[in-house]
Each structure stands twice: as C-alpha cells, then as structure tokens.
Amino acid sequence: MKSVAIERHDTLGVVVGDVRIGGGAPVVVQSMTNTDTADVASTSDQIAELATAGSELVRITVNNKAAAQAVPLIAERLRQIDVNVPLIGDFHFNGHRLLSEFPACAEALAKYRINPGNVGSGEKRDSQYARMIEIACRYQKPVRIGVNWGSLDKGLVARLMDENARASSPLDAEQMTREVMVRSALESAQRAIEVGLPRDRIVLSCKMSGVQELIAVYRELARRCDYALHLGLTEAGMGSKGIVASSAALAVLLQTGIGDTIRISLTPEPGGARTQEVVVAQELLQSMGIRAFTPMVVACPGCGRTTSTYFQQLAKDVQQHLRSMMPEWRERYPGVASMSVAVMGCVVNGPGESKQANIGISLPGTGESPSAPVYVDGEKAVTLKGDDIADQFIRLLDNYVQEKYH
C-alpha cells in the first residue's frame, strides 16, 4: 500500500535514544511490558519479543527498589543480545525517590514517563515533581507527562471547579473533564520548563477510556500546544473490543494529523501474546497508508462459492510467513514492507484482486477447476496444481522478494 500525504500537526521533535518523535518524523509505535521488572530475564525476553515484533520504544514499570536496581541489568542484557530499543521508565508515587537513589537506573532509561496526578499532593507534589524533572535535566532525558483521567490531581480539579463555578458561562461536566485533562498536561509541562527541562524534551498525553472523549481532548490539546503527542486509549479492553475502540479513536486523530507516537493498550487474552498490541498498532498505521511495516495480505471473506477452508488456511500461513521473515527481510530488502499479496478464494474477484497485488493467487472455488493461477505484477505467471499449492506459492513469494527488492 502506498503511503498517503496527511498534513501533520506541527510539533516539536523529541529524541528518545535513537528514535525521533514528532517534528515531522514518522508516527512511532510503542508498547509496554507486563512482567515483573525485577525479573531481569523475563523482562528482557519480553522486551526483545516486542522489539522483534516492531515496537520502536518499550516502556517498563519502575515501581520499587528491586525494579530500579534491575533496569541497568536489563539494559546490559539487551545490549548483549543486540536489542537496541530505547527503554522508557514508568513512574508513579515514588519516582522521585527511585530516580534519586538509583542513578544507574536514571541513566540507563531513555525517557521517563510521569503522571502528574500520582506524584503527591500539595507542597509535596510540587517538590517531588520538580525533583524528577531535575533528574531528567541532569541526565538529559526527555519526559512524557502522561495525564490519565483515572488519576487526576485532586488539587487541580478543585481549583478549576471553583474557577468554573465563578465563570459567567460555566462549562458542563463533560466539557469540564476535558478542560481539566488539558490544563493538567499544559500546566505540568510549563512547570517542567520552569524547572529547566527544554521544550523539545517534552511529550504530552491525555489518556481516557472513552472514544469520543479521547478525540475531543486531543483535538483541544493539539489546538493549544506544539508539544509532541502520545496517543492511546487507556483501559481499552480485551480482544475485538479493545482493538475496535482503540482503532476508532486513534484513526480519527491520525487522519487529522494529530499524534506522533501511539500505543494500543490491550488487555491480553489468557495465554495471549503481548506482541498483539504492536501488531495492531502497525496494522492501523499501515491500513491508513501512513507507514508500512510488513507486506499486507488481501484475502476475501469467503462465501457460498468457497465452502473449502483451504484459502483461509493459506491466507493465515502466508501472513505468518511474512511476519516471521520481516526481521531478516527488513535489513536485506528495502521497500519489501510495502509489498501487497493477495490470497483469493474463487474466480469471481480472485483474478482481479491478484492482478492488483504485487503477487497474488486465485484458488478454485467450489466446483471450479482444481488449479490456482498466480499473478506477478499484474501478469499471469504460472498455474499451480497438486496437494502442495501452499508450499509452492510461498516459494514463489520468497523468490519474488529476492528478485524484486534485492
């Protein structure tokens, strides 16, 4: 699929490790581990899995001393296995102490994530927040100031509610929620600047769990600032619900040029892969034509003409093969991520869709001749027959990649 020209919201560029967020850079995909960070082996392994799947930034929980002590060990283990993904430390409540007591942790992380609603209250909030920003300045680390509607600063909420009550045209409850979110992010960013953090080391996020609320908040945030913006629907949910809700919200914002980095926050299915959230984020961006990560498979949904499930299995096998090969192909074959592959189930749309793809196969439907023509760059190349059509097609696919993108 060809990329599309979407006019992006003009934001400051932020460098995280060797990854650039905002400032016209491509939208960055990130994810987060769900392991106990103190378990160096399991956390490192999951980070490696997420990075291999295509996560360009990975966030880890740093919630206690054991986790803080583990961070530099994780970073070293990743270097040993040649995984270079930047690590983001996620801090709540005690981040000021952990960053102060464990300088090796503060230095090993590429970015800090701070929730201004979870850094204390009153005077403690100001001093503890300032302490974290001071450490970010010392180690020249960018910071994501991540506001979440489930943990807003109570003092800020009370102050803004009082202001609203005195206003000649007060906002309603829904409007007030959005205003509190935006003001929390902007005031926290301004406080960070006053402490000494440069504006081009600040990323903002205002995460909500409702689709329309998230869209409204980010539109307002984008209107009022030029900071790089992280998009994500918090507590999106499990399975199709989480995928649909996240995609609905983020697609609207991305289409209007809002968003510099994204995460799809899915609740994992029991025994499910954590990498699913990376795949969904990539497929969202690629389906919109914003970025290309892996060759996309066009496959028909099936109907009464395709009572055989063979084409369904072939489509699945081809998609899995493409994803498994991408870590190698990405380095060896520039441009292969934009390749399109068609796996069609019958003669109605099969030949036409196959001709539109770089390489496509049109399987016989029910009652049709047991042969499968393959089209390469719009021209019929060969007709496959026999019991090993799947293996034959995958070999043709591999040969096409080697010849086309070498």
Side-chain angles (χ1 to χ4, degrees), residues 226-355:
D226 61 354
Y227 297 112
L229 301 180
H230 169 98
L231 302 186
L233 189 74
T234 191
E235 290 92 38
M238 181 181 290
S240 60
K241 185 270 179 186
I243 294 172
V244 170
S246 291
S247 298
L250 271 58
V252 170
L253 293 167
L254 290 166
Q255 187 65 25
T256 55
I258 297 172
D260 301 292
T261 178
I262 67 171
R263 181 194 172 202
I264 305 294
S265 300
L266 297 179
T267 304
E269 301 276 2
R274 187 65 166 180
T275 52
Q276 184 188 22
E277 64 178 44
V278 179
V279 173
V280 173
Q282 290 180 329
E283 291 182 346
L284 170 62
L285 293 172
Q286 187 150 353
S287 296
M288 295 181 68
I290 295 173
R291 286 189 66 184
F293 297 92
T294 190
M296 297 291 281
V297 176
V298 176
C300 66
C303 65
R305 290 177 175 270
T306 55
T307 52
S308 169
T309 60
Y310 186 79
F311 84 97
Q312 300 169 6
Q313 186 62 48
L314 176 57
K316 180 180 179 181
D317 291 346
V318 169
Q319 184 70 75
Q320 290 178 341
H321 177 71
L322 292 171
R323 283 205 167 272
S324 69
M325 295 302 296
M326 274 310 293
E328 175 187 342
W329 284 357
R330 193 177 293 115
E331 300 298 326
R332 296 182 59 189
Y333 304 116
V336 70
S338 299
M339 182 177 69
S340 61
V341 181
V343 178
M344 303 300 293
C346 80
V347 74
V348 173
N349 293 318
E353 287 284 0
S354 297
K355 289 177 183 178

Side-chain angles (χ1 to χ4, degrees), residues 160-227:
L160 295 183
M161 292 293 285
D162 288 343
E163 289 179 7
N164 189 56
R166 295 192 299 269
S168 57
S169 299
L171 302 176
D172 61 30
E174 187 175 294
Q175 293 171 322
M176 196 61 208
T177 299
R178 295 198 295 264
E179 180 63 16
V180 170
M181 293 284 290
V182 172
R183 287 277 291 276
S184 177
L186 295 178
E187 290 186 12
S188 297
Q190 183 57 39
R191 176 59 179 146
I193 292 169
E194 291 168 358
V195 173
L197 190 67
R199 295 181 73 251
D200 62 358
R201 289 194 199 141
I202 295 175
V203 179
L204 296 186
S205 67
C206 286
K207 290 194 171 183
M208 306 183 78
S209 58
V211 171
Q212 296 298 341
E213 292 85 354
L214 188 85
I215 293 170
V217 162
Y218 272 95
R219 281 176 170 167
E220 183 63 15
L221 187 62
R223 187 182 70 82
R224 290 160 67 171
C225 77
D226 61 354
Y227 297 112

Side-chain angles (χ1 to χ4, degrees), residues 332-334 400-406:
R332 296 182 59 189
Y333 304 116
Y400 179 83
V401 170
Q402 294 170 14
E403 294 173 6
K404 177 80 172 183
Y405 297 99
H406 181 65

